[in-house]
Amino acid sequence: MYDVVVIGGGPAGYVSAIRCAQLGLSVACIESMKDDAGNSKLGGTCLNVGCIPSKALLDSSQRFYEANNDLNKHGINLGEVELDISAMMTRKNKVVSQLTAGVSGLFKANKVVSIQGHGKLLSGKRVEVTNNDSTDVIEAKNIILASGSKPIEIDSAKFNEDTIVDSTGALEFSDVPKKLGIIGAGVIGLELGSVWSRLGSEVYMLEALPEFLPMVDKKIAKDIFKEFSKQGLNIKLGCMVTSAKSLKNCVEVEYEENGSTQNEVFDKLIVCVGRIPNTSELISDDSDIQLDDKGFVEVDEFCQTNESGVWAIGDLVRGPMLAHKGSEEGIMVAERIAGKKTVVNYNLVPSVIYTHPEVAWVGKNEEELKAEKVDYKTGSFPFAASGRALATDESVGSVKVLADKKTDTILGIHIFGPSAAELVQQGLIAMEFGSSSEDIGLTMFSHPTVSEALHEAALAANGHAIHIGNRKK
Ligand code: FAD
Ligand code: NAD
């Protein structure tokens, strides 16, 4: 009998398994994906078909775009720039293999037992493992469910693995689609839309909601819309796709926009309208584990299910579907199994959209603070006033700091601009320590850095930013 069995080897499950092993627990991790040799392919959605391959393509496509469009501004003329999409995909696949092999190496080093197969929770803390050849039942004192999520499929545009694809298919195109349709202008739509737009696709995004990026600060969302439209993404809001008909090598999409029916023919259509938890075939009928109405496993704030010793983490449970959120839950659960009192601070989960420029935020936005009737103040600083941002030709966007009006405690940080993902992390560390905007204002920042925009936004919250003209005190 193991101390812990983890079902799922994604960033929630594999991190949890490693932490369990570090704490001296005997642990096995069951993963259904397998490599060519028949061993578990670890890393989950994130490493194999999510965070990592998308960022590899975002980086490659940005370089291609800059070589074609921006380098001449710096006095560098390359002549005609050629795209080798197959080499780009090979590089992406190599990064993925390197990282997934790295997780296998970490399992060996930490003595985590890796079991290849499909795991199903039976009653009495037993797990059935099925692979091609056999079915086995293993027992554990604790079971951690970490089977992640999969793309939502909609009736009006069913995946066909060719012209109508999910995010995984969109990371594998062998040619640049001339005209690319995307259903859903969320995080995946914007990231993958950016990739293919930079490589030459004419991109149309059909979003059901009338509002663009409702989870983002309203003013910043407006700036993002303007910038991405300028970059060539045709973002259509308030559009309901009614049908997607596969024709020869293309797909005809019909959608409703402002009460009228529209038609577009695309070479490829990406459907990215959210993801659902992987609970099918995960839990046997005689288990009492409860799911909510959307299929997520119900857990408390410590990721404990309604059955003692059965835990669930990552995309399988409530909260944002983010790799770092799942990993932190995995660590919390491992440590709680080992008797520690670890908690996850769900108020400070950072979000990032890895476009160019990046979008990043943490904490509350103005709408949330207004709804909660919190008296707050704001400080903003545009990258157009940052020396470093101008020197690197990255001066689009701004930083906004929200702080409590009375105590000055930082409540939220919202960034659209260069290195936003890294900048928000600086603010998040300050927030984790309960800092005020004055604390950031009193901190010395290297010059010239784009981080100075965070410094100035914090100063602006108290009316004394130096490099913008609205000083109050
Ligand atoms: P998963 O990563 O989905 O892992 C679950 C694992 O369990 C899988 O390997 C699956 O094969 C296995 N499994 C499922 N059922 C069983 C079973 N019954 N038995 C055995 N094994 C099973 N998040 C970020 O934070 N940053 C990003 O930049 C980012 N980019 C993304 C880009 C894309 C295109 C996509 C699709 C997602 C992205 N995400 C990103 C989201 C991120 O990938 C997920 O939040 C994260 O992978 C969830 O981790 P997880 O371990 O809960 O589940
Ligand atoms: P999402 O929730 O970010 O966006 C889906 C969008 O599709 C929404 O704007 C929604 O209004 C729209 N939509 C829903 N149904 C629709 C319909 N029928 N027609 C048109 N539009 C419709 O989901 P996603 O982009 O699929 O991403 C899935 C998950 O993966 C997200 O939770 C995200 O957190 C995670 N992810 C994270 C990152 C990152 O951290 N950078 C990157 C990619 C994915």
Side-chain angles (χ1 to χ4, degrees):
M1 177 181 306
Y2 291 98
D3 290 324
V4 183
V5 164
V6 183
I7 302 181
Y14 87 72
V15 167
S16 195
I18 290 173
R19 187 69 190 118
C20 284
Q22 287 174 345
L23 290 160
L25 300 163
S26 62
V27 54
C29 180
I30 305 164
E31 169 54 55
S32 53
M33 272 170 78
K34 59 180 166 185
D35 61 19
D36 294 340
N39 299 316
S40 287
K41 204 173 179 202
L42 298 166
T45 303
C46 176
L47 264 58
N48 290 289
V49 292
C51 326
I52 297 302
S54 60
K55 269 76 235 176
L57 290 184
L58 277 157
D59 184 75
S60 296
S61 60
Q62 182 60 22
R63 286 168 196 251
F64 177 73
Y65 181 86
E66 283 172 8
N68 256 326
N69 298 282
D70 286 345
L71 289 186
N72 55 357
K73 273 190 247 163
H74 296 263
I76 304 165
N77 294 314
L78 295 180
E80 202 180 325
V81 179
E82 214 177 285
L83 176 65
D84 182 344
I85 194 89
S86 149
M88 200 176 273
M89 293 294 171
T90 302
R91 185 194 87 92
K92 175 208 65 169
N93 295 339
K94 214 168 134 196
V95 174
V96 169
S97 308
Q98 197 176 333
L99 287 168
T100 53
V103 178
S104 298
L106 289 172
F107 268 19
K108 282 200 189 98
N110 285 284
K111 301 199 172 31
V112 175
V113 177
S114 185
I115 300 176
Q116 202 287 311
H118 178 94
K120 184 176 194 174
L121 177 70
L122 307 177
S123 61
K125 275 186 266 174
R126 293 167 311 132
V127 177
E128 181 187 85
V129 185
T130 311
N131 64 26
N132 284 346
D133 317 317
S134 62
T135 297
D136 213 355
V137 174
I138 52 178
E139 285 183 68
K141 293 180 192 152
N142 287 275
I143 293 162
I144 304 176
L145 306 174
S147 56
S149 64
K150 60 179 177 200
I152 292 177
E153 186 167 38
I154 52 175
D155 287 340
S156 51
K158 293 261 187 205
F159 301 129
N160 64 12
E161 314 274 317
D162 176 21
T163 48
I164 308 176
V165 298
D166 61 12
S167 54
T168 303
L171 292 165
E172 300 287 338
F173 292 155
S174 50
D175 294 300
V176 178
K178 208 163 173 307
K179 197 163 165 186
L180 173 65
I182 299 181
I183 306 183
V187 188
I188 294 182
L190 289 169
E191 290 187 357
L192 295 183
S194 295
V195 165
W196 293 107
S197 162
R198 291 168 195 167
L199 297 179
S201 293
E202 190 186 337
V203 176
Y204 289 80
M205 304 183 72
L206 309 174
E207 165 61 47
L209 290 178
E211 192 184 349
F212 179 60
L213 293 179
M215 65 289 201
V216 172
D217 174 273
K218 271 196 182 341
K219 151 87 175 66
I220 290 186
K222 246 187 215 162
D223 295 345
I224 299 170
F225 188 90
K226 202 166 136 201
E227 173 61 22
F228 292 169
S229 301
K230 206 168 110 195
Q231 288 181 14
L233 300 181
N234 298 294
I235 307 165
K236 291 168 172 281
L237 301 174
C239 286
M240 277 317 285
V241 171
T242 46
S243 73
K245 205 185 313 161
S246 291
L247 306 173
K248 196 169 176 261
N249 297 327
C250 62
V251 50
E252 185 181 13
V253 174
E254 196 177 87
Y255 59 96
E256 301 284 331
E257 188 184 21
N258 299 324
S260 71
T261 303
Q262 309 279 346
N263 262 297
E264 290 285 354
V265 175
F266 300 113
D267 299 291
K268 298 275 184 195
L269 180 67
I270 309 173
V271 183
C272 41
V273 294
R275 297 175 61 86
I276 44 166
N278 265 329
T279 39
S280 61
E281 293 302 306
L282 175 70
I283 299 166
S284 74
D285 293 340
D286 60 353
S287 163
D288 286 332
I289 297 295
Q290 276 174 10
L291 307 184
D292 70 14
D293 55 356
K294 296 205 171 91
F296 291 95
V297 174
E298 279 202 354
V299 287
D300 65 11
E301 73 262 48
F302 308 122
C303 293
Q304 167 76 63
T305 68
N306 57 310
E307 203 171 299
S308 161
V310 180
W311 312 75
I313 56 177
D315 281 10
L316 194 59
V317 302
R318 83 281 175 269
M321 289 179 159
L322 296 171
H324 42 280
K325 175 261 190 187
S327 297
E328 289 305 315
E329 288 179 334
I331 288 170
M332 171 177 71
V333 167
E335 296 192 349
R336 293 191 85 85
I337 290 171
K340 295 175 188 280
K341 300 282 178 231
T342 314
V343 294
V344 166
N345 183 355
Y346 286 104
N347 293 322
L348 294 182
V349 180
S351 296
V352 179
I353 309 176
Y354 292 87
T355 43
H356 195 93
E358 293 170 345
V359 184
W361 69 97
V362 67
K364 306 275 182 185
N365 61 35
E366 291 197 56
E367 286 66 45
E368 288 165 333
L369 292 175
K370 277 178 200 149
E372 291 170 21
K373 299 202 177 353
V374 176
D375 212 3
Y376 68 94
K377 56 189 174 180
T378 72
S380 292
F381 190 80
F383 283 103
S386 152
R388 185 63 192 273
L390 282 168
T392 50
D393 204 11
E394 300 268 5
S395 58
V396 169
S398 60
V399 177
K400 184 190 269 189
V401 170
L402 304 176
D404 187 284
K405 203 162 198 172
K406 223 183 269 156
T407 64
D408 195 32
T409 305
I410 304 168
L411 302 173
I413 296 178
H414 303 267
I415 308 175
F416 176 46
S419 304
E422 310 294 338
L423 292 199
V424 88
Q425 203 62 44
Q426 302 180 17
L428 194 157
I429 293 170
M431 289 170 81
E432 192 65 57
F433 287 99
S435 296
S436 61
S437 65
E438 188 184 26
D439 288 328
I440 294 192
L442 289 169
T443 305
M444 196 184 294
F445 282 69
S446 304
H447 177 74
T449 54
V450 287
S451 303
E452 287 171 298
L454 175 64
H455 186 218
E456 291 270 9
L459 288 170
N462 289 312
H464 42 88
I466 300 296
H467 293 92
I468 43 175
N470 61 350
R471 277 178 288 171
K472 291 183 204 137
K473 295 170 200 165

